[in-house]
Amino acid sequence: MRLWFRLLVAGLIVAGTAVSAPLSTPAAAQAAQPTQEDAKAITLKAADLIAAQGLEEASKAFNADGPFKHGEIYVNVIDFAGVWKVYPPRPAGVGQSVINVKDPDGRFIVQDVLAVAKEKGEGWVEYRWLNPASNRIEPKITYVKRVPGQELVAYVGIYK
């Protein structure tokens, strides 16, 4: 319940809709800043949605503003070859191989994501990435989940 409230408030803030609490309150600030718990919960729901409805239907929800896409939260989906299947910040990137993408420290991020998905089924991957909000390289943590019975991986990351 608390997660959905935070998502609702964050969505209203992103949409520019007034909320009853001033933005300077700690509750409003916390609602606007997603947590690791939020990233994990959304990733798990995304993987379940793909398993239940298929990638094509699920991708409609992932690309539309709502519970799967708001603020810095969005669902990425790649296949086991490291090809983007869903990438809301740049839909034109769908179909592109990102298997060799490195962070500024030279870590192969997508290969790390795939290793967690293949070996453990789900888990966390940490790396550094350019935060478009601050225009600085910052630590990022991403929750990864293999879609049950498929060679697809859903993941959501947040800046720390």
Side-chain angles (χ1 to χ4, degrees), residues 43-44 46-59 62 75-87 94-96 110 113-123 143-156:
T43 300
L44 296 175
D48 288 346
L49 186 63
I50 296 167
Q53 295 185 5
L55 182 60
E56 188 175 332
E57 280 302 308
S59 68
F62 301 155
V75 175
N76 298 284
V77 180
I78 57 173
D79 65 16
F80 274 17
V83 174
W84 263 328
K85 297 300 183 181
V86 176
Y87 186 59
V94 170
Q96 244 181 354
V110 175
V113 165
L114 289 171
V116 168
K118 290 176 181 180
E119 294 166 14
K120 300 177 186 173
E122 64 184 84
Y143 198 78
V144 173
K145 171 74 173 150
R146 179 182 180 171
V147 177
Q150 299 183 41
E151 293 190 348
L152 295 172
V153 180
Y155 57 100
V156 173

Side-chain angles (χ1 to χ4, degrees), residues 6-28:
R6 275 196 242 152
L7 293 176
L8 175 63
V9 172
L12 292 173
I13 291 169
V14 169
T17 305
V19 293
S20 59
L23 292 179
S24 61
T25 66

Side-chain angles (χ1 to χ4, degrees), residues 59-143:
S59 68
K60 292 175 187 173
F62 301 155
N63 284 303
D65 288 339
F68 293 103
K69 180 182 170 223
H70 55 87
E72 76 177 66
I73 291 286
Y74 54 88
V75 175
N76 298 284
V77 180
I78 57 173
D79 65 16
F80 274 17
V83 174
W84 263 328
K85 297 300 183 181
V86 176
Y87 186 59
R90 195 169 63 84
V94 170
Q96 244 181 354
S97 174
V98 290
I99 193 74
N100 291 317
V101 169
K102 295 179 187 177
D103 79 354
D105 299 323
R107 291 188 58 197
F108 287 94
I109 303 166
V110 175
Q111 291 177 26
D112 290 351
V113 165
L114 289 171
V116 168
K118 290 176 181 180
E119 294 166 14
K120 300 177 186 173
E122 64 184 84
W124 294 101
V125 175
E126 293 189 54
Y127 51 97
R128 293 181 337 116
W129 201 246
L130 178 66
N131 183 337
S134 68
N135 202 31
R136 293 190 328 239
I137 302 295
E138 296 179 10
K140 191 166 186 178
I141 188 160
T142 295
Y143 198 78

